Amino acid sequence: MTACAIEGGTAGAATTADPGPEESGEPEEPVGAVPAERGEPAGMIPGEPKRPAGTAPAEPGRPAAAVPAEPGRAAGAVPGEPGRAAGPGRPAGAAPSGGTVPAASAGFGASAGSAASAGSAAPWSGASRAPGAFTLTADGAYGARLTAAPGAPGGQRAWYPERWTLDGPEPYAVPLPLNQPEEPDAQVVPLADGRVLIRRQVAERQMFSLLYPTGPATGELALGAVECDGMELLPPSPDGTSVYALSPGDHSSLLWLVAGGAFGPELVAEVPGHCSGGVWLDRAGRMLALDRQLPGGGPVKAVAVDLERNGEVTPLLQITPESDDRLLLADADSGLLLLRSNAPGHDRLGWGVLGSCLPVRFPECLRPADVAVTPFAVQPGQMLMPESCAVALRIDGAAGSWVGIWRPQGRRLHQFAAPEGWSAGAGYWSRDGVLHLPYANASTPCGVALYEAPGDEEPPPETGGTGGTEPSEAVTPPVVCKPVPLGQAPLHRAASPD
């Protein structure tokens, strides 16, 4: 079991600081589905919420403390920020609510969840995450990253969080510096109300706070701490208010609710085995997929964790008994799953449909030579039409990183040059098929490039493809596509033809 404990510090104490400088094979097995209660068909995500997720009981002698809201600021209100703009013609920033945020004072909780399924786990990614990683809310309204003002080559950089607002007429960035720089291993996640959660590691403790702009300064609301060697924030929950963190161990992994709970950080589940990844399977923020390797070794298998059944674990992907099957992306509307598996004999990108009896497919066009391809966004709103969903992919090669767009029904990988300063792997789709890519460079400190998903010609007949594979095509150089600031772009910008 992983040794962790939570403690309250100066939880709820709101502080402010002046802002700093601004910157810029082929097996044909059905996709494993999430089994529901007995009597329900496999592949159905359990229905009605029954929320009593396992929470951590209070430590003896350490009562829970509530943090009152800032005077005159109602929870959820978003007052304006006069005088704060992020580029020519950009509106003033909006400060989120400093509403009631309880302090962390609960103790170590009991384990929850049961195992099923088997996995060579991927190493925990916390040590390799770049400081400039860009995180988006589930709806794409806000983004957050750790950035720094330009400095002398080889000199020490002063890191600070930055929040991007992306759902207005033009994108704009709001710096959120405090009195001292952040460490480059700090992690930030935006919430739907505009606040930004930050995780800091201090010795063997993980400290959590909410940051928000307060006019010309930055407000901070401490949520508490967890005593733990390593922890990674998961992608923002689709509910917009909750943030979970994973603390992996060799024999079990702990899942914590670190924002959005009633009493600060709460232990909600202990999953047997070493877990990594983290993909949401529904829009309620109830079903979470993790890639797990059971204690003692074996293949890595994606499993589903039900957060409303005390972390109940059920199998999700099992293409072959011995293959490593990891889930990369999922779309709740269509049921489309993007996965990586070595079932064909080596690691391949594949796709399937949640709960479907159709085989997993491993398209040849998704393995171009001498590059790495990773999906990062799926077009939403395609109800029951997974084959028509546009998928955005990050392509990494010797020439750098660029963008790919692919649809399961098209069987063709369209490639485009990324905007200069793109936060590689960051982006989101609108329902009408327009890809939004955030970027920042010397001339545009906060911009969003638009790419409309190209149409697909009639797919060519399969020649020689067997067992879930599809024909390949040669790698073509990316099309040079010069992005423009969102305010100057047309509503639907046509992408350059391949």
Side-chain angles (χ1 to χ4, degrees):
M1 166 173 173
T2 304
C4 286
I6 56 178
E7 59 182 54
T10 56
T15 61
T16 60
D18 292 330
E22 208 172 326
E23 190 234 23
S24 78
E26 282 63 271
E28 297 195 4
E29 297 293 328
V31 179
V34 184
E37 299 182 41
R38 287 181 183 161
E40 294 180 354
M44 301 298 293
I45 292 179
E48 296 301 317
K50 303 177 183 176
R51 181 70 184 167
T55 56
E59 290 185 28
R62 191 174 286 193
V67 180
E70 288 187 47
R73 191 173 293 214
V78 183
E81 285 181 69
R84 187 179 288 236
R90 292 191 178 126
S97 144
T100 303
V101 180
S105 56
F108 181 70
S111 64
S114 58
S117 194
S120 79
W124 178 53
S125 60
S128 60
R129 185 178 46 80
F134 194 98
T135 306
L136 291 158
T137 54
D139 60 0
Y142 289 101
R145 65 172 182 162
L146 206 62
T147 187
Q156 189 171 4
R157 305 186 69 186
W159 297 97
Y160 61 89
E162 185 178 70
R163 189 199 72 191
W164 288 35
T165 300
L166 303 170
D167 60 348
E170 278 199 28
Y172 63 95
V174 178
L176 297 173
L178 293 170
N179 291 324
Q180 63 182 31
E182 303 291 347
E183 295 294 328
D185 63 350
Q187 198 175 0
V188 292
V189 169
L191 303 182
D193 63 3
R195 292 181 293 179
V196 173
L197 176 75
I198 184 168
R199 176 197 63 82
R200 306 179 179 101
Q201 181 162 352
V202 180
E204 295 183 354
R205 296 195 305 168
Q206 310 294 324
M207 311 285 293
F208 300 95
S209 295
L210 288 173
L211 306 179
Y212 52 92
T214 56
T218 299
E220 179 176 19
L221 220 55
L223 299 181
V226 177
E227 286 192 1
C228 199
D229 291 338
M231 184 174 282
E232 184 82 355
L233 295 181
L234 298 181
S237 171
D239 66 11
T241 61
S242 304
V243 180
Y244 292 83
L246 183 65
S247 176
D250 293 335
H251 301 288
S252 67
S253 299
L254 302 181
L255 186 63
W256 295 84
L257 174 64
V258 296
F263 302 103
E266 301 173 12
L267 178 64
V268 296
E270 181 176 358
V271 182
H274 179 95
C275 294
S276 59
V279 176
W280 293 102
L281 299 174
D282 63 347
R283 295 212 175 278
R286 170 179 176 176
M287 303 299 299
L288 175 67
L290 297 173
D291 301 327
R292 180 182 69 166
Q293 183 181 42
L294 286 173
V300 176
K301 299 292 182 182
V303 297
V305 181
D306 190 337
L307 301 182
E308 292 194 359
R309 292 183 178 175
N310 296 325
E312 180 182 82
V313 179
T314 52
L316 181 63
L317 292 176
Q318 177 127 2
I319 301 177
T320 69
E322 301 302 323
S323 59
D324 294 328
D325 308 321
R326 295 181 173 91
L327 185 64
L328 305 180
L329 277 181
D331 177 60
D333 295 333
S334 63
L336 178 65
L337 302 180
L338 279 299
L339 57 98
R340 191 181 300 277
S341 174
N342 59 6
H346 49 275
D347 272 351
R348 294 277 299 275
L349 273 182
W351 70 277
V353 182
L354 185 65
S356 171
C357 293
L358 296 175
V360 173
R361 291 251 176 206
F362 297 94
E364 290 288 337
C365 68
L366 294 186
R367 61 163 187 169
D370 302 322
V371 297
V373 180
T374 307
F376 64 87
V378 180
Q379 179 185 359
Q382 307 301 298
M383 302 299 295
L384 306 178
M385 296 190 298
E387 293 88 356
S388 65
C389 289
V391 179
L393 305 108
R394 168 181 172 173
I395 306 176
D396 297 297
S401 298
W402 60 96
V403 183
I405 296 179
W406 165 83
R407 283 189 179 95
Q409 68 183 10
R411 300 177 185 170
R412 182 180 181 186
L413 179 61
H414 304 270
Q415 301 184 48
F416 304 91
E420 180 188 357
W422 175 46
S423 299
Y428 63 97
W429 287 98
S430 65
R431 289 178 174 262
D432 54 355
V434 177
L435 178 62
H436 297 65
L437 300 181
Y439 69 97
N441 54 45
S443 60
T444 308
C446 176
V448 174
L450 305 181
Y451 293 77
E452 188 169 356
D456 288 303
E457 300 173 359
E458 194 69 23
E462 295 192 11
T463 56
T466 60
T469 62
E470 296 174 0
S472 63
E473 70 169 14
V475 179
T476 57
V479 177
V480 176
C481 185
K482 182 180 179 182
V484 296
L486 189 61
Q488 303 172 20
L491 290 177
H492 299 285
R493 181 180 177 191
S496 300
D498 284 35

